[in-house]
Amino acid sequence: MTDMLSRPGARDGGPHQAPGPAPEVTAPTKPVVVSAVISAGACLLTGLLTCAAVAVIGWLAATFGGASGAIRAGASAWLVAHKAGVTLGSGSLTVAPLGLTFFFAWCLYRGGKSAARSSAADRTKDLILLSGVFAGVYGLGALVVALLTADGALKVAPLSAFLGAASLALVAGTLGVLVESGAAQDIADATPKGLRDTVPAAVAAVLTVIAIASVLYGVLLAIHFSRITGMLELLDAGVMGSVVLFAICLMLVPNMVLYVVSFLAGPGFQLGVGTTIAPTGVDVGNLPALPLLAAVPADGATPTYLLALTAVVPLAAGVVAGLVVVRRGLADQDADALGWDAFALRGGIAALLAGVLLYALMAMSGGSAGPGRMSAVGIPAALPAAGVLAAGIAIGASITAAVAASRRPADSEADAAG
């Protein structure tokens, strides 16, 4: 695909435009490396300033510490959001607040689009160079931040910071580069139609599971609202402190939703060493006074309706994926040549992709949240949980797609007879 990214009207594509009105004047393009460096630097500053602003607000609300310590805390939060391990005394903090991580990923996606737009890169080698420099510069920035942040009891692994930041920039930035340059459409056009249709079906299944988990989590928070008010009274954070607490909770909401997803899958999750929150039972003991944890069930057996959801949720997500597969498949020009088995296979492939995506999200959501008991938080059985969800989605998607496809000839005959 060396030259497949060149398009009519591109700077190396030749004169392909028909005579007509004079084209609009566009901004001059920048060299690929310069565009990548500028965009990566902008993303780096945006993330650091966001975290520093929240940390400074917290410092203003506190009665101890200095401004430098607040800025260092904000930089540490930025590093943790990139899965860079931060050690403070005898404890470590590796649980990435996924709300913050997703925000940085969105910034990097926009940064990749901006770099591709300003450089007007259209050849494969230029796009590879653009993505590589973008990720490398962002990773080097994280390495420098890690070295400047470490001080006394606060330690940060520079290599971990570089790899975590560069990986996120490579994935999100490359996606932005491909979309802006049009290469994403070229790749989609070169992909077989059947395989291409499984991607939106997989995304629909994942979003369905996450949506149901979000609703369930919201309902549990509403049921235990008295716990939230009790925690807020106990913390007595004040106005500024409440703002910081709200920001922390907002950043951790995606983590909690993914923990609910693992709960619905069966294996469950843990909020400390030796704890278990699963459909088969709950054993957590005392928990930190964090309002987000008010939804955690009390120790003992879980309600029956939660057990029923473990079977219903993946099947419902599979039905959604199967409907997407059928809808997109029937729009194909060669749809008449496809049998029910082809649609069922597409549903199974979509379920597999959904399982991989869910595993990646659940694996990112855990880590260490401090010393002692809180050194193990998250989903220890992320792979089995993703496997259970993928199996349920596969059953729902394959059956739904096969049934919808098998009814198509009968519907066509009835329409012809009418």
Side-chain angles (χ1 to χ4, degrees):
M1 109 179 181
T2 302
D3 295 324
M4 67 181 292
L5 304 179
S6 297
R7 282 179 172 67
R11 51 180 176 163
D12 61 346
H16 295 284
Q17 295 181 347
E24 296 182 1
V25 178
T26 58
T29 59
K30 300 182 180 67
V32 170
V33 174
V34 174
S35 297
V37 171
I38 292 175
S39 296
C43 293
L44 189 70
L45 289 177
T46 299
L48 286 172
L49 291 176
T50 300
C51 293
V54 176
V56 169
I57 292 174
W59 167 68
L60 293 174
T63 58
F64 57 88
S68 61
I71 295 175
R72 185 173 287 109
S76 300
W78 183 86
L79 291 168
V80 172
H82 292 83
K83 295 298 287 184
V86 174
T87 302
L88 182 60
S90 60
S92 61
L93 185 61
T94 60
V95 175
L98 292 184
L100 201 56
T101 303
F102 293 153
F103 170 71
F104 295 154
W106 178 80
C107 291
L108 290 166
Y109 169 76
R110 299 291 300 180
K113 293 187 67 174
S114 176
R117 188 184 312 115
S118 62
S119 65
D122 54 11
R123 291 183 178 275
T124 303
K125 62 179 182 179
D126 293 333
L127 298 180
I128 293 175
L129 177 62
L130 184 63
S131 299
V133 173
F134 182 83
V137 170
Y138 193 80
L140 288 175
L143 188 149
V144 173
V145 172
L147 293 175
L148 295 177
T149 301
D151 179 38
L154 180 63
K155 297 184 174 76
V156 185
L159 181 60
S160 174
F162 173 79
L163 293 177
S167 299
L168 185 64
L170 184 63
V171 174
T174 300
L175 182 59
V177 169
L178 294 178
V179 170
E180 181 64 27
S181 65
Q185 186 61 47
D186 288 337
I187 294 173
D189 293 340
T191 304
K193 183 69 167 62
L195 186 60
R196 185 167 69 245
D197 290 345
T198 61
V199 175
V203 173
V206 171
L207 292 178
T208 301
V209 172
I210 291 177
I212 296 175
S214 300
V215 171
L216 176 60
Y217 181 60
V219 170
L220 292 175
L221 281 178
I223 292 174
H224 299 102
F225 185 74
S226 60
R227 294 185 187 177
I228 299 177
T229 57
M231 290 180 182
L232 293 176
E233 292 177 358
L234 179 64
L235 293 172
D236 190 21
V239 177
M240 299 294 287
S242 298
V243 172
V244 176
L245 180 62
F246 175 78
I248 293 174
C249 291
L250 191 64
M251 293 185 293
L252 290 172
V253 165
N255 298 65
M256 297 304 302
V257 171
L258 288 171
Y259 295 164
V260 176
V261 169
S262 70
F263 182 93
L264 295 174
F269 60 99
Q270 62 180 3
L271 293 174
V273 177
T275 63
T276 303
I277 302 97
T280 54
V282 178
D283 181 15
V284 290
N286 295 324
L287 292 173
L290 187 65
L292 287 179
L293 302 181
V296 177
D299 289 354
T302 56
T304 305
Y305 72 90
L306 292 178
L307 294 173
L309 286 176
T310 59
V312 172
V313 171
L315 290 177
V319 170
V320 173
L323 293 176
V324 173
V325 165
V326 172
R327 180 179 179 182
R328 295 181 66 90
L330 293 180
D332 190 5
Q333 295 179 350
D334 300 329
D336 295 338
L338 298 176
W340 63 268
D341 53 341
F343 286 94
L345 177 61
R346 294 181 182 183
I349 295 174
L352 178 62
L353 294 176
V356 172
L357 183 55
L358 286 169
Y359 169 73
L361 293 173
M362 288 189 287
M364 289 175 57
S365 65
S368 174
R373 182 176 181 233
M374 299 306 294
S375 61
V377 173
I379 308 171
L383 185 58
V388 170
L389 290 171
I393 294 172
I395 294 173
S398 299
I399 293 177
T400 301
V403 170
S406 63
R407 292 184 57 186
R408 178 188 46 177
D411 293 341
S412 300
E413 291 175 5
D415 294 340

